[in-house]
Amino acid sequence: MDPRSRRADTARILGTVSLVAGFLTALLTMSSDSGGLRPQILAAFLILTGIGLRIEAAIVGRRP
């Protein structure tokens, strides 16, 4: 496995973990009333980071 492919796989996995954590944070915060705005900001940050990492993995993982 070449380093480029390994980097794309790592970014894809971290992006997926970040997306799942962001969506779980958002769902758990919506179900409770004592959340406030900070957990929603954290969820949005995690989701945006996950999307960015998945896009990076798609770009890096492409073969020329």
Side-chain angles (χ1 to χ4, degrees):
M1 185 177 250
D2 63 338
R4 186 176 187 174
S5 176
R6 186 177 299 162
R7 179 178 175 197
D9 287 342
T10 302
R12 189 175 296 113
I13 291 169
L14 287 175
T16 302
V17 169
S18 180
L19 281 170
V20 169
F23 283 124
L24 282 176
T25 303
L27 287 174
L28 291 174
T29 304
M30 281 194 280
S31 66
S32 68
D33 293 334
S34 63
L37 186 61
R38 287 186 180 159
Q40 294 295 333
I41 293 172
L42 174 65
F45 177 73
L46 286 170
I47 291 170
L48 290 174
T49 302
I51 290 171
L53 285 170
R54 297 283 300 193
I55 290 172
E56 178 187 356
I59 292 171
V60 170
R62 266 193 325 192
R63 300 283 180 202

